[in-house]
Amino acid sequence: MMRLRLSLCALGTALLAACAASPTPTPPAAVVAPNANLVAQGIPPVPQSLADAIGRYNDFRGHAFSDWHPTEREMLVSHRKAGANTAQIFRVTAPLTEGEQLTDGADPVTRATYEPRTGAYIVFERASGGNEVGQLYRLPLKQAGAQPVLLTQPDERNAFNTWLRKSGQLIYSSVPIDRTAQGGTRSKISTTFWLMDPLQPEGRRKLAELDGGGWSASRPSPDERQVSLTRYLSANESQIWLLDVASGATRQVLPAVGSNEPKASYSPAGWSPDGRALWLASDRAGEFRELMKLDLASGRIDRVSAHIPWDVSGVTLTDDGTRLAAQFNVDGRDELHFFDAATAKEVPAPAALPNGNVGTAAYHHGRGDLAFSISNAQGPSQIYALAADGKVQQWTRASAAPGMDTSGFTEQKIIRWKSFDGLTISGLLTAPPKKFTGKRPVLISIHGGPEAQATFGFLGRSAYFVQELGMAVIQPNVRGSSGYGKTFLALDNGFKREDSVKDIGALLDWIATQPDLDASRVLVTGGSYGGYMTLAVSTNYADRIAGSIDVVGISHFVTFLNNTESYRRDLRRVEYGDERDPAMRAHLEKISPLTNAAKIKKPLFVVQGKNDPRVPYTEAEQIVATVRQGGTPVWYLRAENEGHGFQKKDNQDFQFYATVLFMQQTVLK
């Protein structure tokens, strides 16, 4: 018995020794799961280690200017605070002070304005879940615990336009919605302008109901009897009208009725102090939108900025009508120019301004200070103020994750190449730091619009691709982009749609000639129209790319035009072509990526918001299903609480992690 016990003890000791010697099983690696609002299909698990490595690139936070207080030197800004999921409205009472948060909620708020007489309350605009069905709310500022009061009708798409400052009433526009993705439709679209006292919203008065969905109102005349209107017909054609506030009568001002003038863009910018002249921007005299001044009685138009060969992109005037500041888009970078409004002559800038791309600029109604925002390669939007005495003060500072130093982020530079027909195309190149040697992989990031433009500024999360992954980022401005003249703007319309895709083909040729770029490792991405371009490149140049990332992109022009919200449909037909015309319909069918989906042979990542009113989620669903049928790997990420692009940080974060994972499996192997 004793001998047996000894043997068992020996065996137990041996087993313990063997167990100690055997390797310990490795626990499964931690992963980042998509949140409850995200539907992820075909996306491999995202390692927590990946999220940890890139997380500090997820928290860049700038400020966007919203409005000046009517009497005090304080402002409203839109900002996402640390730890928050969405941007909200803050009141900043002095330069570089901590802002007081005014709005809160699951959905972002980026537009707000003070009541124009005493600033006792604000009116802000908010939509739900990315559906772009904007509603106006009143929020008192001096009542503790006050809750927002809904001012508008939920079944209409509402937008704040302007104040009548003397009476404290506002003018807003409303457009009926159809929710076309759910089967709604409307054959006739109209825009209604309303006059409302936000303290008594039930007493709103209809000013006018006008055909079409492209109407907006600007600042009223000094006596507040008239309001200038813009009627947007396309990127190449718009009109200026005047609305009589008392009667609701409207009349077209530019182009003059019956003048048979060529199509041109017109946009009102402000009034002279006596109300006899209207400042405007127009390309009627040449390729670029110039600052002009219209004498309303005689119809004479004076060209004010003909000496500046670039588009005017923004105009603001002091209330006394003596000073005017205008932004000009100079090859993708907005610059401020100053004018004596009385003489319509440019004057030197009153001070040296910070370096960067100018965003919103607006004069204070009572004090004449000019607020303007600046972004550059080193940081997102920061707000400054130029005082009447010429002093510049910084009002907000951009924020980043602890330990993140953006001072060494690479500057963008302009590149140019020849396209298939000899036309020169340009873009912005952000090259990786010199620590990355050898031929570098390339990300081609195509803007939407189509009439948008890739401009200088902060790359945000995309800086990770450059600074940490060593990728070169190219943002092309293919034909159809704004900023290069009205002829260039129209070069992709209708039957010429695929000429812009050929511009990317020529860019691929250019990349192949660059000694520091790897033409075998090119990834293409884009959002909205840029998403269409991404899919089109995937079908036309499948053998020349390693993969593609389509974000809220058009996959078939006919289904897109049938399903986009009705208030947008006619505006989009001018750009893409009218699918009701048999020849155009056949063309749109032929060039649509869905028709050519069998040609997509490289991995595809599709990102979509379920509530998108512009490019309905069905555009994503159909391309995902069809490409999968052909055996090509497809990742699909859909957010149930987003619209035309992700706005909530938790959704953006997961999209970013998945994007980096996709890059690792395509161009970073």
Side-chain angles (χ1 to χ4, degrees), residues 466-488:
V466 178
Q467 304 298 136
E468 306 295 337
L469 301 182
M471 298 181 69
V473 174
I474 297 177
Q475 300 165 274
N477 281 312
V478 296
R479 68 190 70 205
S481 302
S482 60
Y484 305 98
K486 62 186 181 185
T487 299
F488 191 88

Side-chain angles (χ1 to χ4, degrees), residues 316-337:
T316 180
L317 290 119
T318 55
D319 270 14
D320 63 7
T322 60
R323 287 176 289 154
L324 182 152
Q327 296 162 239
F328 288 87
N329 178 353
V330 180
D331 219 356
R333 191 195 309 269
D334 265 29
E335 301 176 353
L336 275 172
H337 290 246

Side-chain angles (χ1 to χ4, degrees), residues 480-611:
S481 302
S482 60
Y484 305 98
K486 62 186 181 185
T487 299
F488 191 88
L489 186 65
L491 287 178
D492 66 340
N493 288 358
F495 289 103
K496 298 179 285 186
R497 177 62 46 206
E498 284 202 316
D499 286 355
S500 60
V501 182
K502 294 176 184 177
D503 292 340
I504 301 298
L507 173 58
L508 294 172
D509 293 339
W510 180 86
I511 290 171
T513 68
Q514 304 304 302
D516 52 348
L517 301 181
D518 189 345
S520 69
R521 293 190 291 164
V522 176
L523 197 65
V524 61
T525 187
S528 191
Y529 175 74
Y532 154 72
M533 289 287 290
T534 296
L535 294 172
V537 171
S538 299
T539 62
N540 285 276
Y541 304 104
D543 59 332
R544 304 187 64 186
I545 63 171
S548 54
I549 305 172
D550 157 34
V551 181
V552 299
I554 300 167
S555 64
H556 195 289
F557 285 111
V558 176
T559 59
F560 159 72
L561 289 169
N562 287 337
N563 294 325
T564 192
E565 275 290 333
S566 299
Y567 64 82
R568 305 185 71 252
R569 187 170 296 122
D570 285 340
L571 301 176
R572 295 297 84 198
R573 281 170 173 157
V574 176
E575 173 69 42
Y576 297 123
D578 192 334
E579 84 287 1
R580 296 168 298 184
D581 174 75
M584 179 55 71
R585 187 184 187 94
H587 175 70
L588 294 176
E589 291 269 6
K590 178 182 176 182
I591 69 170
S592 290
L594 188 66
T595 305
N596 300 283
K599 299 177 182 178
I600 299 178
K601 299 299 184 183
K602 299 299 173 60
L604 172 65
F605 183 13
V606 177
V607 180
Q608 181 67 47
K610 181 69 177 293
N611 305 320

Side-chain angles (χ1 to χ4, degrees), residues 63 259 273 314 376 438 445 542 596:
H63 300 76
S259 63
N376 51 40
S445 180
N596 300 283

Side-chain angles (χ1 to χ4, degrees), residues 62-275:
H63 300 76
F65 177 83
S66 288
D67 196 20
W68 280 111
H69 190 280
T71 59
E72 303 298 326
R73 197 167 184 260
E74 66 178 56
M75 63 177 67
L76 298 176
V77 303
S78 177
H79 172 66
R80 183 180 61 79
K81 69 178 182 181
N85 204 31
T86 58
Q88 299 295 329
I89 296 297
F90 290 74
R91 175 168 57 182
V92 181
T93 57
L96 299 179
T97 58
E98 186 74 19
E100 173 194 358
Q101 184 171 343
L102 301 180
T103 65
D104 198 6
D107 294 295
V109 181
T110 58
R111 296 189 65 195
T113 177
Y114 282 104
E115 181 274 320
R117 293 178 296 182
T118 64
Y121 61 84
I122 67 169
V123 172
F124 67 89
E125 188 176 315
R126 181 170 62 198
S128 176
N131 64 6
E132 300 186 17
V133 184
Q135 304 299 322
L136 302 185
Y137 298 82
R138 182 187 78 243
L139 180 64
L141 296 182
K142 298 180 181 180
Q143 298 178 20
Q147 295 299 307
V149 176
L150 178 65
L151 301 175
T152 48
Q153 304 299 313
D155 285 334
E156 298 173 344
R157 183 175 186 263
N158 304 281
F160 170 83
N161 281 215
T162 190
W163 287 102
L164 300 184
R165 306 185 70 82
K166 295 177 181 178
S167 66
Q169 299 180 93
L170 62 81
I171 294 176
Y172 74 96
S173 59
S174 66
V175 177
I177 59 169
D178 305 310
R179 295 185 172 91
T180 53
Q182 288 77 44
T185 188
R186 190 180 300 269
S187 59
K188 182 180 180 181
I189 295 299
S190 62
T191 301
T192 302
F193 288 102
W194 299 91
L195 182 66
M196 173 199 287
D197 178 352
L199 296 176
Q200 298 177 310
E202 66 280 357
R204 68 174 186 167
R205 176 168 68 89
K206 180 188 288 189
L207 295 176
E209 183 174 349
L210 305 172
D211 288 342
W215 293 90
S216 61
S218 302
R219 287 177 63 178
S221 58
D223 60 10
E224 298 190 345
R225 294 181 179 179
Q226 298 184 94
V227 174
S228 57
L229 305 179
T230 301
R231 185 186 186 190
Y232 179 91
L233 298 171
S234 73
N236 290 91
E237 182 182 10
S238 51
Q239 302 167 348
I240 295 177
W241 291 58
L242 292 182
L243 167 66
D244 186 284
V245 175
S247 68
T250 58
R251 67 182 180 93
Q252 182 176 328
V253 176
L254 288 173
V257 177
S259 63
N260 295 319
E261 296 179 21
K263 292 180 181 179
S265 68
Y266 295 90
S267 178
W271 297 75
S272 63
D274 58 11

